[in-house]
Structures are given as C-alpha cells and as structure tokens.
Amino acid sequence: MEPFNDFISNISPWLQGLLEGIGLPDVWARVVVLGIGGFALAFVPLIAVIFLIWAARKLIARMQDRIGPNNSGPYPGPYALFQTFADAIKMLTKEDVIPAAADRWVFNIAPIVILTIAVLIWAVIPLGKDITGSDLNIGIFYVLALGSGSMVSLLMAGWGSDNKYALLGALRAVANMISYEVPQILSVIAVVMVAGSLSMQEITKAQNVPFIFVMPVTALLFFVSSLAEAGRQPYDLMEADSEIVAGYFVEYSGMKFGQFYLSEFMNNFAISVITATLFLGGWQGPFVDSVPILGSLWLLLKSCLVFFVLLWCWGTLPRLRIDQMLNFNWKFLTPVALVNVCIVALVGKAVPSSAGPWMQKSALLGANILLALAVLGALVVAGRQARRRDVSGQQEASPA
Amino acid sequence: MLDQFTFIGVFLIVALIFGVAPIAIAFVLRPKKPNPRKAETYECGLQPHGEAWVQFKVQYYVFALVFVVFDVEAVFLLPWALAYHQLELYAVIEAIIFILILLGALLYVWRKNALKWM
Amino acid sequence: MTLQQVLFIIFGIITLGAALAVVTRRNVFHAALFLILAFFGVAGLYVLLEAPFLAAAQLFIYVGGISILIIFAIMLTRDMMNPNVAGYNRQWWLAALVAVALCGMMGWVVLNHNWPATPGDVPPESIINLGKALVDPAGLVLPFEVASVLLLVALIGAVTIARER
C-alpha cells in the first residue's frame, strides 16, 4: 500500500531511469518525461470539461424547470452522459465558412491562441499534495498574466471577422475584461499578504483555516471579478446568446467555434479550481497526510461546489448592461478592493504576532465583517439619496 | 529556478499541439464547398451595409487608460505584499499612502464624469 | 552550445523579427500584433535571466494593458490604413544617418566595455528583497511614492485631454 500512496510522485523518477537505461542522454530523457507529464496534465481539464458541460446543461435545465439532454437513444449514453462527445463530432464535421474579406491569418490564429492559453493556465495549479505541473514561485501571478494574454485573441477574433458587430462586441468584451482585472489582482494581493507567497502550493499549505473564513470580502471580490473575466452570467455581455448571437465569434463555424466554446468552459473550470485553491483550502482535508491521492478528491469536490455556485448565478441572475457593469466595477468593486487591501495590511500588523495565529485570523475576520457592514451602510445611504432625487425629479416634472 | 520553467516550456509545446489538433482533425474531416453566398458577412440575414470599420467612442480609450494606471499600481504592490511578513508598521503605512493617492486619483476621475459610458 | 544559449538565440530571433515586422508592415493592426509577439519574446528573455516576476509583470502590463491601449488607439483613428499614404517621406536619408550613428555608438560602447565573465548568483528570494527595498527608507521608498504621484498626474492629464468640451 505504501508505494501506491505516493504512486504519482514515484512514476517520474522510474520513467526517467527507464529511459536512461535505453541510452537516451540525460536532458532528452527529462524532456520526454516532462512531455508525457504535460500530456497527462493537459487531459485533466479536457476530460473534466466534457463532463462539466453535460452537468451544466442538466443543472441549468433543472433551474429553468425543464429536463435538459435526455436519453434519446443508445448514442448519447444513459442520461445523455456522452452528449458532449456527440457535440464534438458534430463540430468536427461541419464546414468552415470564412467571410470573403476576412483577414485569413488573424482569423485562423485566434482560436488556436485562446485554446493554448486556456490549457497553459493548468501548469501551476496544485492538483494534489505534491502533484503539480510546475510549482512556480510566481504561481498565481502567472495565471493572471496569461489571463490578460487571452484578451489579445479576442481582439484578433473580432478584427479578423470583417464584421462590424463582431468588432464592436470584441472591443466591449475587452473593455469589460480589463476593467475586472483590477479588483481581481487586488484581492490576490490581499491573499498573498496573508499567505506570504505567490506560489499556489504554498498558499494551499498556508491554509490551516480556509481563507474564506478569514477574509470573506476578499473571496467574494475575487469570485465576482473572475465571473466577469470569464464572461459568465450575469456578465454575459460578451456572448449574449439571445441578443447579439455570439458577439466576437459570430463568424466562426465548425471546430473553430468549438475551440472558443471549449476554452470558455475550460476557463470556467479553471476559475472554480483556482477559487477553491486560494480560498477553500485546495487539496487540504481529512486524511490527506496518510493517503496523498485523497487530496485530488478534496480539490475536485471543492471546485465542483464553486462551479455549482457559478451555474447557480448563471441560471438565476439577469444580464447586466455594459454601463452597469463598468459602473459596478469602477465605482464599487475597485474602491472596496483598495480599502480591503489597506485594512488587511493594517490589521495584520496591528495585532502583534505574539498573540498567536488564531487571534490574528479572527481579527482579520472581524475587520472584514466591519468592512462589509460599512459598505452595505454606504450602499443604503446612496440608494436612499438616489431615490430621493428620483422622487423630487418626478415631483418637478409633474407639478400637479 | 530555471528547471521550474523547463516544464512550462515543454507544456507550451503540448498546449500548442492541443490548440492545433482539433482544427487539424476538422480540416481533414469537414466538407469543403465554398460558395459566394456563404462567404458574405453576417448581419442578421440582411445585406451587409457599409465598411466594417466604424468610428468608435473615446470612452474605450479612457477606460483602457485608467486600467493601465491601476495595473501598474497593482504590480508595484505585489513585491510589497510578498515581503509583508518581514516588514515593520511604517512600511505598511508607506504602502497605504501609495494606495490612498491612487484612490484619490480614482475619485478624481469619478467626479470628472470620465467614467460615464455614453 | 548549452540549452540556455539555444533558447536565448531563439527568443532573440523572435523578438528582433517581430520588432522588424512592426516597423515594416503596412497593415497597422498586423503591426500591433507583431508588437505583442515582441513583448512575448522579451518575457521569454526575462525568464532566461532568472527574473520570472519581471516576465509575468511584462506580460501583465505590456500585453494586457499597453497593447490593448495601442489597439484601441488604432481603432479610434480614422483613415489609418489608407493605402494611398506613402510609407516614406522625403527626409528618409537623414533618419537613416541618425539610425546608423546611434547603432554604431551603441555597438562601440558594448564592445569596449569590461563585461564580468560570470554573472553573480541570483538569490532565491529576489522578489521579497525587492519588496523590502521598495519601502526601505534607505532604499527606494521615495521613487515608490513619486511613482504613485506620477500615476495620479498621468490620470489627471488623460482625463483633461479626453474630456468632451
């Protein structure tokens, strides 16, 4: 049982020994082992997304009081579990229609770039106790930097389509995404302050108490801004299935559209996993020390919980307009995020470390709750003022 | 430190293969019947009207500018946040002054109505 | 040739090739995309120099912010891609002279300098040292605060220019 516990960590030296035994030089054996590891890692989000798309369709259907994909024959499997495979085969065999005046190179490269970046994010996410692609010392910053890289492919898709609606949709989507990066990185800064490192394995290990109980406001900020980054309801403006057809990828058909769709779900799952790692404790849980593979199970459960909350928002909340989204970000989320960083910094230093970790964590929790109450109070006052202005405006308009 | 990035380099190539593979498979499998009617731009079924490059509003640029300023601020704050555990109180006060100056900048932009999306 | 040297040559070729394409392309949007490729190349060079934080900051600020700003500016400018506008003007010989002089001067400085044979070791906690230096009174705290004032001034300037009159 012992070697099986650490099965995944032991495979890599064994494979390397095997390859060196056949006579490959040292560097090439390492590259081959890393390549096999990379392929295995890249399949994780792929397989997970295939079942998550099915789960998303079933759950959204239930929230909308219908059944969703059903067992309509022997092909899609029981409960239509393999519906996504059927969708993939359909997309592979559709014709690829390119608009006549489209910019060929830019049009074709955009889906490749977006799927590459969606897969690259998974290199630093700790999937288990010692299982991670590469424990970079700039872990979470690498993820955020790649997120901003994916905006370039949006612009390429919008521009290359030679369609003024696609271009407009792409510009609005990019304006939306860059705005919501600011509260996202500010909440990550608060997490980094408490955890003391950017590396995601270190952040997971620093969470004896999951950070959501220490800094709930930060967790909420991160989750809301990541929702907007991924373009999920209620920030569905980029896609807006029922209104602008598909926004920036309206001219894509066949597998290129499939790649946009796939990368969007991969990003959603990546956000769930990252939120679970940063705020819910990642792979930590009971019995992880003795059976390391259990860490992956805990991470899977936690990220499915976060994904369920994401789907819940998708099925329940209405879509926001672009000016409402930008107002919400710049006039509410960014000031709250900045004040949150200040408060976490002050409280962390005001409570001396000699008082013990529990005192510090409860002080942080108290400060966060006070911040939330203050923000709610400010919102109530602002709402009352707005209503008074509306009422007095109506009274002026109709003097009778 | 560099061998951490060796995996990233190999993974980049793997990710590129993953990005190109579906399109390559589709290139082999799909029908190819080009038709000038199909290659027209999509405008909800109507005839496409005018050029594809219309004049855009200046608000896009202002929002991108405000974003760049806060982006740079966040990157300045990251090393400070990493060194937080080893810093004294005065260092924290200095960084809070930094944040307050930029909060003031945000309030200025807000009051000047530059954040309105016309 | 070690792997590091091969990678350095590859990243150098990517950066220089993309930079060359930026200034020679007629299509302005393509030039902007090649600029983004050049930024990626520079980030790769930072990684080779064992500064991963700088590489990620380069991607985050340049690719995620400045390139978007440049592309928005391209979209806002009317008539930027008119093919009837000439790519050269009449003083191209003067510009070529200045460019060759600058290149020659830089090359002379690089070749005549005493570069140390082996660079020092990069400490593993370089980002934390940077963080401590940024707020150290004997270190970089004045540039740190002046940077925030600079950003404030930049924002005020941008709002003043972009406001509708």
Side-chain angles (χ1 to χ4, degrees), chain C residues 8-37:
Chain C
F8 176 73
I9 290 182
I10 292 178
F11 279 123
I13 290 181
I14 291 178
T15 312
L16 288 176
L20 202 62
V22 168
V23 294
T24 53
R25 286 267 141 204
R26 284 317 215 82
N27 189 339
V28 172
F29 192 74
H30 286 181
L33 288 181
F34 275 113
L35 187 64
I36 293 176
L37 186 61

PDB file of all heavy atoms in Angstrom, chain C residues 8-37:
ATOM      1  N   PHE C   8      18.252  31.287 -25.849  1.00  0.00           N
ATOM      2  CA  PHE C   8      18.486  32.730 -25.954  1.00  0.00           C
ATOM      3  C   PHE C   8      18.445  33.157 -27.419  1.00  0.00           C
ATOM      4  O   PHE C   8      17.860  34.178 -27.779  1.00  0.00           O
ATOM      5  CB  PHE C   8      19.841  33.070 -25.331  1.00  0.00           C
ATOM      6  CG  PHE C   8      20.211  34.510 -25.485  1.00  0.00           C
ATOM      7  CD1 PHE C   8      19.571  35.476 -24.742  1.00  0.00           C
ATOM      8  CD2 PHE C   8      21.183  34.916 -26.381  1.00  0.00           C
ATOM      9  CE1 PHE C   8      19.893  36.806 -24.878  1.00  0.00           C
ATOM     10  CE2 PHE C   8      21.517  36.233 -26.527  1.00  0.00           C
ATOM     11  CZ  PHE C   8      20.880  37.190 -25.772  1.00  0.00           C
ATOM     12  N   ILE C   9      19.061  32.323 -28.282  1.00  0.00           N
ATOM     13  CA  ILE C   9      19.062  32.683 -29.705  1.00  0.00           C
ATOM     14  C   ILE C   9      17.648  32.642 -30.254  1.00  0.00           C
ATOM     15  O   ILE C   9      17.223  33.531 -31.001  1.00  0.00           O
ATOM     16  CB  ILE C   9      20.001  31.723 -30.470  1.00  0.00           C
ATOM     17  CG1 ILE C   9      21.433  32.027 -30.079  1.00  0.00           C
ATOM     18  CG2 ILE C   9      19.813  31.869 -31.956  1.00  0.00           C
ATOM     19  CD1 ILE C   9      22.443  31.195 -30.800  1.00  0.00           C
ATOM     20  N   ILE C  10      16.879  31.618 -29.837  1.00  0.00           N
ATOM     21  CA  ILE C  10      15.504  31.522 -30.351  1.00  0.00           C
ATOM     22  C   ILE C  10      14.681  32.731 -29.922  1.00  0.00           C
ATOM     23  O   ILE C  10      14.006  33.369 -30.742  1.00  0.00           O
ATOM     24  CB  ILE C  10      14.846  30.218 -29.850  1.00  0.00           C
ATOM     25  CG1 ILE C  10      15.514  29.022 -30.493  1.00  0.00           C
ATOM     26  CG2 ILE C  10      13.369  30.205 -30.167  1.00  0.00           C
ATOM     27  CD1 ILE C  10      14.953  27.712 -30.030  1.00  0.00           C
ATOM     28  N   PHE C  11      14.741  33.064 -28.613  1.00  0.00           N
ATOM     29  CA  PHE C  11      13.950  34.199 -28.145  1.00  0.00           C
ATOM     30  C   PHE C  11      14.422  35.497 -28.774  1.00  0.00           C
ATOM     31  O   PHE C  11      13.630  36.382 -29.077  1.00  0.00           O
ATOM     32  CB  PHE C  11      14.022  34.303 -26.615  1.00  0.00           C
ATOM     33  CG  PHE C  11      13.089  33.373 -25.913  1.00  0.00           C
ATOM     34  CD1 PHE C  11      13.565  32.453 -25.008  1.00  0.00           C
ATOM     35  CD2 PHE C  11      11.731  33.405 -26.175  1.00  0.00           C
ATOM     36  CE1 PHE C  11      12.712  31.589 -24.364  1.00  0.00           C
ATOM     37  CE2 PHE C  11      10.869  32.545 -25.540  1.00  0.00           C
ATOM     38  CZ  PHE C  11      11.361  31.630 -24.635  1.00  0.00           C
ATOM     39  N   GLY C  12      15.753  35.598 -28.984  1.00  0.00           N
ATOM     40  CA  GLY C  12      16.268  36.810 -29.616  1.00  0.00           C
ATOM     41  C   GLY C  12      15.753  36.960 -31.035  1.00  0.00           C
ATOM     42  O   GLY C  12      15.360  38.051 -31.460  1.00  0.00           O
ATOM     43  N   ILE C  13      15.727  35.844 -31.763  1.00  0.00           N
ATOM     44  CA  ILE C  13      15.233  35.908 -33.147  1.00  0.00           C
ATOM     45  C   ILE C  13      13.760  36.282 -33.162  1.00  0.00           C
ATOM     46  O   ILE C  13      13.315  37.103 -33.975  1.00  0.00           O
ATOM     47  CB  ILE C  13      15.471  34.560 -33.859  1.00  0.00           C
ATOM     48  CG1 ILE C  13      16.950  34.359 -34.093  1.00  0.00           C
ATOM     49  CG2 ILE C  13      14.730  34.518 -35.175  1.00  0.00           C
ATOM     50  CD1 ILE C  13      17.271  33.087 -34.798  1.00  0.00           C
ATOM     51  N   ILE C  14      12.982  35.688 -32.223  1.00  0.00           N
ATOM     52  CA  ILE C  14      11.547  36.031 -32.175  1.00  0.00           C
ATOM     53  C   ILE C  14      11.367  37.517 -31.916  1.00  0.00           C
ATOM     54  O   ILE C  14      10.611  38.203 -32.613  1.00  0.00           O
ATOM     55  CB  ILE C  14      10.842  35.207 -31.070  1.00  0.00           C
ATOM     56  CG1 ILE C  14      10.776  33.744 -31.444  1.00  0.00           C
ATOM     57  CG2 ILE C  14       9.445  35.730 -30.844  1.00  0.00           C
ATOM     58  CD1 ILE C  14      10.143  32.895 -30.385  1.00  0.00           C
ATOM     59  N   THR C  15      12.102  38.034 -30.909  1.00  0.00           N
ATOM     60  CA  THR C  15      11.913  39.446 -30.547  1.00  0.00           C
ATOM     61  C   THR C  15      12.337  40.357 -31.691  1.00  0.00           C
ATOM     62  O   THR C  15      11.605  41.269 -32.089  1.00  0.00           O
ATOM     63  CB  THR C  15      12.732  39.765 -29.296  1.00  0.00           C
ATOM     64  OG1 THR C  15      12.493  38.772 -28.328  1.00  0.00           O
ATOM     65  CG2 THR C  15      12.352  41.114 -28.740  1.00  0.00           C
ATOM     66  N   LEU C  16      13.529  40.108 -32.238  1.00  0.00           N
ATOM     67  CA  LEU C  16      14.022  41.011 -33.283  1.00  0.00           C
ATOM     68  C   LEU C  16      13.181  40.901 -34.546  1.00  0.00           C
ATOM     69  O   LEU C  16      12.874  41.901 -35.192  1.00  0.00           O
ATOM     70  CB  LEU C  16      15.482  40.696 -33.591  1.00  0.00           C
ATOM     71  CG  LEU C  16      16.443  41.118 -32.486  1.00  0.00           C
ATOM     72  CD1 LEU C  16      17.840  40.675 -32.827  1.00  0.00           C
ATOM     73  CD2 LEU C  16      16.387  42.617 -32.311  1.00  0.00           C
ATOM     74  N   GLY C  17      12.803  39.679 -34.905  1.00  0.00           N
ATOM     75  CA  GLY C  17      11.989  39.512 -36.098  1.00  0.00           C
ATOM     76  C   GLY C  17      10.650  40.207 -35.961  1.00  0.00           C
ATOM     77  O   GLY C  17      10.179  40.892 -36.878  1.00  0.00           O
ATOM     78  N   ALA C  18      10.025  40.040 -34.775  1.00  0.00           N
ATOM     79  CA  ALA C  18       8.739  40.699 -34.563  1.00  0.00           C
ATOM     80  C   ALA C  18       8.900  42.212 -34.589  1.00  0.00           C
ATOM     81  O   ALA C  18       8.069  42.929 -35.155  1.00  0.00           O
ATOM     82  CB  ALA C  18       8.137  40.247 -33.239  1.00  0.00           C
ATOM     83  N   ALA C  19       9.987  42.720 -33.960  1.00  0.00           N
ATOM     84  CA  ALA C  19      10.199  44.173 -33.946  1.00  0.00           C
ATOM     85  C   ALA C  19      10.414  44.696 -35.366  1.00  0.00           C
ATOM     86  O   ALA C  19       9.916  45.773 -35.731  1.00  0.00           O
ATOM     87  CB  ALA C  19      11.401  44.504 -33.071  1.00  0.00           C
ATOM     88  N   LEU C  20      11.131  43.935 -36.182  1.00  0.00           N
ATOM     89  CA  LEU C  20      11.325  44.345 -37.572  1.00  0.00           C
ATOM     90  C   LEU C  20       9.992  44.377 -38.308  1.00  0.00           C
ATOM     91  O   LEU C  20       9.704  45.297 -39.081  1.00  0.00           O
ATOM     92  CB  LEU C  20      12.276  43.353 -38.247  1.00  0.00           C
ATOM     93  CG  LEU C  20      13.001  43.860 -39.473  1.00  0.00           C
ATOM     94  CD1 LEU C  20      13.868  45.025 -39.074  1.00  0.00           C
ATOM     95  CD2 LEU C  20      13.837  42.750 -40.069  1.00  0.00           C
ATOM     96  N   ALA C  21       9.158  43.356 -38.035  1.00  0.00           N
ATOM     97  CA  ALA C  21       7.867  43.297 -38.709  1.00  0.00           C
ATOM     98  C   ALA C  21       6.974  44.455 -38.289  1.00  0.00           C
ATOM     99  O   ALA C  21       6.161  44.937 -39.076  1.00  0.00           O
ATOM    100  CB  ALA C  21       7.172  41.972 -38.404  1.00  0.00           C
ATOM    101  N   VAL C  22       7.136  44.929 -37.040  1.00  0.00           N
ATOM    102  CA  VAL C  22       6.301  46.034 -36.578  1.00  0.00           C
ATOM    103  C   VAL C  22       6.529  47.262 -37.441  1.00  0.00           C
ATOM    104  O   VAL C  22       5.598  47.952 -37.847  1.00  0.00           O
ATOM    105  CB  VAL C  22       6.609  46.364 -35.100  1.00  0.00           C
ATOM    106  CG1 VAL C  22       5.970  47.667 -34.699  1.00  0.00           C
ATOM    107  CG2 VAL C  22       6.107  45.278 -34.211  1.00  0.00           C
ATOM    108  N   VAL C  23       7.802  47.543 -37.764  1.00  0.00           N
ATOM    109  CA  VAL C  23       8.065  48.790 -38.477  1.00  0.00           C
ATOM    110  C   VAL C  23       7.944  48.645 -39.974  1.00  0.00           C
ATOM    111  O   VAL C  23       7.978  49.630 -40.694  1.00  0.00           O
ATOM    112  CB  VAL C  23       9.444  49.371 -38.108  1.00  0.00           C
ATOM    113  CG1 VAL C  23       9.463  49.776 -36.669  1.00  0.00           C
ATOM    114  CG2 VAL C  23      10.531  48.390 -38.410  1.00  0.00           C
ATOM    115  N   THR C  24       7.820  47.426 -40.491  1.00  0.00           N
ATOM    116  CA  THR C  24       7.758  47.311 -41.940  1.00  0.00           C
ATOM    117  C   THR C  24       6.375  46.950 -42.458  1.00  0.00           C
ATOM    118  O   THR C  24       6.139  47.023 -43.652  1.00  0.00           O
ATOM    119  CB  THR C  24       8.745  46.246 -42.447  1.00  0.00           C
ATOM    120  OG1 THR C  24       8.497  45.047 -41.734  1.00  0.00           O
ATOM    121  CG2 THR C  24      10.162  46.700 -42.237  1.00  0.00           C
ATOM    122  N   ARG C  25       5.470  46.562 -41.586  1.00  0.00           N
ATOM    123  CA  ARG C  25       4.144  46.141 -42.049  1.00  0.00           C
ATOM    124  C   ARG C  25       3.296  47.322 -42.479  1.00  0.00           C
ATOM    125  O   ARG C  25       3.315  48.373 -41.826  1.00  0.00           O
ATOM    126  CB  ARG C  25       3.407  45.444 -40.919  1.00  0.00           C
ATOM    127  CG  ARG C  25       3.897  44.092 -40.645  1.00  0.00           C
ATOM    128  CD  ARG C  25       3.096  43.104 -41.405  1.00  0.00           C
ATOM    129  NE  ARG C  25       3.949  42.065 -41.909  1.00  0.00           N
ATOM    130  CZ  ARG C  25       3.636  41.342 -42.959  1.00  0.00           C
ATOM    131  NH1 ARG C  25       2.514  41.550 -43.603  1.00  0.00           N
ATOM    132  NH2 ARG C  25       4.436  40.398 -43.348  1.00  0.00           N
ATOM    133  N   ARG C  26       2.529  47.161 -43.553  1.00  0.00           N
ATOM    134  CA  ARG C  26       1.623  48.231 -43.977  1.00  0.00           C
ATOM    135  C   ARG C  26       0.344  48.240 -43.150  1.00  0.00           C
ATOM    136  O   ARG C  26      -0.212  49.284 -42.878  1.00  0.00           O
ATOM    137  CB  ARG C  26       1.250  48.026 -45.442  1.00  0.00           C
ATOM    138  CG  ARG C  26       2.323  48.416 -46.384  1.00  0.00           C
ATOM    139  CD  ARG C  26       2.943  49.715 -45.946  1.00  0.00           C
ATOM    140  NE  ARG C  26       3.334  50.554 -47.012  1.00  0.00           N
ATOM    141  CZ  ARG C  26       2.543  51.370 -47.705  1.00  0.00           C
ATOM    142  NH1 ARG C  26       1.291  51.454 -47.420  1.00  0.00           N
ATOM    143  NH2 ARG C  26       2.984  52.092 -48.672  1.00  0.00           N
ATOM    144  N   ASN C  27      -0.123  47.035 -42.816  1.00  0.00           N
ATOM    145  CA  ASN C  27      -1.375  46.910 -42.086  1.00  0.00           C
ATOM    146  C   ASN C  27      -1.112  47.204 -40.617  1.00  0.00           C
ATOM    147  O   ASN C  27      -0.361  46.480 -39.970  1.00  0.00           O
ATOM    148  CB  ASN C  27      -1.894  45.482 -42.272  1.00  0.00           C
ATOM    149  CG  ASN C  27      -3.282  45.312 -41.744  1.00  0.00           C
ATOM    150  OD1 ASN C  27      -3.745  46.071 -40.924  1.00  0.00           O
ATOM    151  ND2 ASN C  27      -3.954  44.293 -42.261  1.00  0.00           N
ATOM    152  N   VAL C  28      -1.708  48.272 -40.100  1.00  0.00           N
ATOM    153  CA  VAL C  28      -1.355  48.724 -38.744  1.00  0.00           C
ATOM    154  C   VAL C  28      -1.744  47.696 -37.687  1.00  0.00           C
ATOM    155  O   VAL C  28      -1.041  47.493 -36.696  1.00  0.00           O
ATOM    156  CB  VAL C  28      -2.038  50.071 -38.450  1.00  0.00           C
ATOM    157  CG1 VAL C  28      -1.864  50.465 -37.019  1.00  0.00           C
ATOM    158  CG2 VAL C  28      -1.460  51.121 -39.345  1.00  0.00           C
ATOM    159  N   PHE C  29      -2.884  47.005 -37.912  1.00  0.00           N
ATOM    160  CA  PHE C  29      -3.297  46.023 -36.914  1.00  0.00           C
ATOM    161  C   PHE C  29      -2.314  44.873 -36.858  1.00  0.00           C
ATOM    162  O   PHE C  29      -1.980  44.365 -35.791  1.00  0.00           O
ATOM    163  CB  PHE C  29      -4.697  45.514 -37.255  1.00  0.00           C
ATOM    164  CG  PHE C  29      -5.314  44.739 -36.152  1.00  0.00           C
ATOM    165  CD1 PHE C  29      -5.793  45.366 -35.024  1.00  0.00           C
ATOM    166  CD2 PHE C  29      -5.406  43.367 -36.228  1.00  0.00           C
ATOM    167  CE1 PHE C  29      -6.357  44.651 -34.004  1.00  0.00           C
ATOM    168  CE2 PHE C  29      -5.973  42.648 -35.219  1.00  0.00           C
ATOM    169  CZ  PHE C  29      -6.446  43.287 -34.101  1.00  0.00           C
ATOM    170  N   HIS C  30      -1.796  44.456 -38.016  1.00  0.00           N
ATOM    171  CA  HIS C  30      -0.782  43.406 -38.002  1.00  0.00           C
ATOM    172  C   HIS C  30       0.465  43.870 -37.274  1.00  0.00           C
ATOM    173  O   HIS C  30       1.104  43.096 -36.555  1.00  0.00           O
ATOM    174  CB  HIS C  30      -0.413  43.017 -39.439  1.00  0.00           C
ATOM    175  CG  HIS C  30      -1.460  42.210 -40.100  1.00  0.00           C
ATOM    176  ND1 HIS C  30      -1.335  41.740 -41.385  1.00  0.00           N
ATOM    177  CD2 HIS C  30      -2.656  41.777 -39.677  1.00  0.00           C
ATOM    178  CE1 HIS C  30      -2.406  41.059 -41.703  1.00  0.00           C
ATOM    179  NE2 HIS C  30      -3.217  41.068 -40.692  1.00  0.00           N
ATOM    180  N   ALA C  31       0.820  45.148 -37.458  1.00  0.00           N
ATOM    181  CA  ALA C  31       1.990  45.676 -36.743  1.00  0.00           C
ATOM    182  C   ALA C  31       1.776  45.585 -35.237  1.00  0.00           C
ATOM    183  O   ALA C  31       2.682  45.216 -34.487  1.00  0.00           O
ATOM    184  CB  ALA C  31       2.257  47.118 -37.172  1.00  0.00           C
ATOM    185  N   ALA C  32       0.545  45.913 -34.789  1.00  0.00           N
ATOM    186  CA  ALA C  32       0.257  45.821 -33.346  1.00  0.00           C
ATOM    187  C   ALA C  32       0.383  44.375 -32.872  1.00  0.00           C
ATOM    188  O   ALA C  32       0.915  44.107 -31.790  1.00  0.00           O
ATOM    189  CB  ALA C  32      -1.136  46.357 -33.053  1.00  0.00           C
ATOM    190  N   LEU C  33      -0.082  43.413 -33.684  1.00  0.00           N
ATOM    191  CA  LEU C  33       0.017  42.015 -33.263  1.00  0.00           C
ATOM    192  C   LEU C  33       1.466  41.561 -33.193  1.00  0.00           C
ATOM    193  O   LEU C  33       1.861  40.805 -32.294  1.00  0.00           O
ATOM    194  CB  LEU C  33      -0.763  41.125 -34.228  1.00  0.00           C
ATOM    195  CG  LEU C  33      -2.272  41.246 -34.115  1.00  0.00           C
ATOM    196  CD1 LEU C  33      -2.925  40.309 -35.093  1.00  0.00           C
ATOM    197  CD2 LEU C  33      -2.737  40.911 -32.724  1.00  0.00           C
ATOM    198  N   PHE C  34       2.296  42.038 -34.141  1.00  0.00           N
ATOM    199  CA  PHE C  34       3.711  41.666 -34.070  1.00  0.00           C
ATOM    200  C   PHE C  34       4.384  42.306 -32.864  1.00  0.00           C
ATOM    201  O   PHE C  34       5.311  41.738 -32.281  1.00  0.00           O
ATOM    202  CB  PHE C  34       4.431  42.069 -35.356  1.00  0.00           C
ATOM    203  CG  PHE C  34       4.295  41.039 -36.431  1.00  0.00           C
ATOM    204  CD1 PHE C  34       3.565  41.309 -37.575  1.00  0.00           C
ATOM    205  CD2 PHE C  34       4.871  39.799 -36.297  1.00  0.00           C
ATOM    206  CE1 PHE C  34       3.417  40.364 -38.557  1.00  0.00           C
ATOM    207  CE2 PHE C  34       4.747  38.850 -37.269  1.00  0.00           C
ATOM    208  CZ  PHE C  34       4.009  39.129 -38.398  1.00  0.00           C
ATOM    209  N   LEU C  35       3.888  43.500 -32.466  1.00  0.00           N
ATOM    210  CA  LEU C  35       4.419  44.115 -31.240  1.00  0.00           C
ATOM    211  C   LEU C  35       4.142  43.220 -30.044  1.00  0.00           C
ATOM    212  O   LEU C  35       4.992  43.033 -29.163  1.00  0.00           O
ATOM    213  CB  LEU C  35       3.787  45.489 -31.053  1.00  0.00           C
ATOM    214  CG  LEU C  35       4.346  46.329 -29.917  1.00  0.00           C
ATOM    215  CD1 LEU C  35       5.774  46.673 -30.178  1.00  0.00           C
ATOM    216  CD2 LEU C  35       3.524  47.575 -29.741  1.00  0.00           C
ATOM    217  N   ILE C  36       2.922  42.641 -30.000  1.00  0.00           N
ATOM    218  CA  ILE C  36       2.591  41.735 -28.902  1.00  0.00           C
ATOM    219  C   ILE C  36       3.515  40.524 -28.913  1.00  0.00           C
ATOM    220  O   ILE C  36       3.981  40.059 -27.866  1.00  0.00           O
ATOM    221  CB  ILE C  36       1.113  41.319 -29.008  1.00  0.00           C
ATOM    222  CG1 ILE C  36       0.247  42.539 -28.754  1.00  0.00           C
ATOM    223  CG2 ILE C  36       0.779  40.220 -28.042  1.00  0.00           C
ATOM    224  CD1 ILE C  36      -1.202  42.279 -28.920  1.00  0.00           C
ATOM    225  N   LEU C  37       3.832  40.027 -30.115  1.00  0.00           N
ATOM    226  CA  LEU C  37       4.764  38.902 -30.196  1.00  0.00           C
ATOM    227  C   LEU C  37       6.141  39.293 -29.677  1.00  0.00           C
ATOM    228  O   LEU C  37       6.807  38.522 -28.978  1.00  0.00           O
ATOM    229  CB  LEU C  37       4.864  38.431 -31.649  1.00  0.00           C
ATOM    230  CG  LEU C  37       5.687  37.167 -31.872  1.00  0.00           C
ATOM    231  CD1 LEU C  37       5.064  36.023 -31.131  1.00  0.00           C
ATOM    232  CD2 LEU C  37       5.762  36.856 -33.343  1.00  0.00           C
TER     233      LEU C  37
END
